[in-house]
Amino acid sequence: MAENLINKCFSTLHDMKYCQGTPVTPGVKRRAWFISIGAIVGWPKIPVDEYDRPTSSIYDGSFTLAEGEKWHPLDHLPGKADFKSETQGEEPSRTFKVTGSFIHPKVDENAATAATSLINTRIVVLVEDMRGKYRVIGCEKYDGALVSPSRDNGQGATGSAGTTILVEADDPVETPFYTGPIDTEDGIINEQA
């Protein structure tokens, strides 16, 4: 009996195999998508086992938005984007800190207005990697993601100007994947056939 309990305690471990020479394309695509957590009326779920441990990094289901709400585009310079996760906390309560830094190339009135609207709003961000897979920054359990916008007008005649959108979120899963539809002003993207 005790042996079965021990086997169940380790049952969520997964292999990390790699075929030598297989390319791994770094980076993210030039458009991310975001929405206020207040506009989300239904969240997809991460599958868990009987001990409430995540058994997958892929959300099951899709985001349900309040009537009239759509995902907003965040166009950025993909060559300057920084998107990563790291562990935080102490055992047995460790989680991931997921961060994304996206530089929007404009510093005009629209960029300032958008940055101002984000400063005190918790959001969820969908980031598309170079394989066309969407990753999620912000989860229901930890109240979405915190946004810290900043602006740099650049230096001299050739300095880089832009509005940086820094997004940080806590998550029990390492930047979950999202396979559901993304309802935007231009129509639904990521729709499965």
Side-chain angles (χ1 to χ4, degrees):
M1 187 70 153
E3 186 175 324
N4 284 340
L5 179 61
I6 290 172
N7 288 339
K8 280 188 168 190
C9 285
F10 294 105
S11 66
T12 62
L13 298 180
H14 289 264
D15 293 342
M16 293 183 72
K17 296 178 180 178
Y18 171 72
C19 183
Q20 190 67 34
T22 302
V24 178
T25 307
V28 296
K29 295 194 177 174
R30 71 169 194 85
R31 177 170 276 179
W33 298 92
F34 68 94
I35 197 162
S36 165
I37 61 167
I40 300 171
V41 295
W43 290 72
K45 302 296 181 198
I46 289 289
V48 296
D49 68 8
E50 65 209 78
Y51 300 106
D52 204 32
R53 297 177 300 190
T55 58
S56 176
S57 63
I58 304 168
Y59 272 114
D60 184 22
S62 58
F63 287 99
T64 304
L65 306 183
E67 188 175 337
E69 293 292 334
K70 306 282 185 191
W71 289 89
H72 301 276
L74 169 56
D75 289 333
H76 62 92
L77 303 171
K80 294 187 175 186
D82 186 24
F83 176 51
K84 61 186 176 184
S85 68
E86 58 189 1
T87 54
Q88 64 180 358
E90 295 184 18
E91 190 178 19
S93 302
R94 299 179 83 191
T95 58
F96 290 94
K97 173 68 77 179
V98 182
T99 59
S101 178
F102 308 98
I103 299 177
H104 178 71
K106 297 177 103 180
V107 291
D108 62 4
E109 297 87 346
N110 290 337
T113 300
T116 302
S117 73
L118 288 168
I119 195 167
N120 288 310
T121 303
R122 290 284 185 143
I123 66 172
V124 171
V125 179
L126 302 177
V127 182
E128 186 179 8
D129 69 21
M130 298 308 282
R131 299 178 309 133
K133 305 285 185 175
Y134 284 92
R135 308 292 293 264
V136 181
I137 305 176
C139 73
E140 182 178 23
K141 182 182 271 190
Y142 295 115
D143 206 22
L146 181 65
V147 187
S148 300
S150 61
R151 178 197 37 80
D152 186 346
N153 266 45
Q155 296 176 330
T158 60
S160 295
T163 301
T164 300
I165 304 299
L166 175 65
V167 184
E168 300 175 295
D170 301 315
D171 204 308
V173 177
E174 196 283 300
T175 322
F177 288 85
Y178 177 66
T179 59
I182 302 167
D183 192 2
T184 75
E185 290 291 340
D186 297 327
I188 295 176
I189 59 174
N190 202 41
E191 197 166 25
Q192 305 299 311

